[in-house]
């Protein structure tokens, strides 16, 4: 459980809060959402293969 404790400490630090805010902004970005949907489609076999 040491890893979980380290992650918890990080998320409560100023750097962790900044990283969380950056991740939340990226998650709301339509371009990022499209990229994630494309990756999920590829892994699920729904994407086009080149």
């Amino acid at each position: 459980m040491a890893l979980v404790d380290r992650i918890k400490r990080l998320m409560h630090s100023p750097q962790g809060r900044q990283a969380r805010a950056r991740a939340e902004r990226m998650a709301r970005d339509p371009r990022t959402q499209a990229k994630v949907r494309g990756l999920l489609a590829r892994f699920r076999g729904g994407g086009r293969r080149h």
Side-chain angles (χ1 to χ4, degrees):
M1 286 289 208
L3 179 61
V4 173
D5 292 334
R6 289 179 65 186
I7 292 171
K8 283 182 183 179
R9 270 189 275 138
L10 170 68
M11 296 317 309
H12 291 291
S13 72
Q15 294 88 355
R17 287 190 207 115
Q18 288 175 350
R20 180 179 174 192
R22 188 169 43 247
E24 287 174 352
R25 277 194 308 275
M26 288 179 70
R28 285 191 300 267
D29 184 6
R31 290 175 296 189
T32 305
Q33 291 175 1
K35 286 180 188 177
V36 170
R37 278 193 296 272
L39 285 173
L40 287 175
R42 283 180 57 194
F43 287 123
R44 291 180 181 153
R48 291 179 293 183
R49 302 202 181 208
H50 293 103

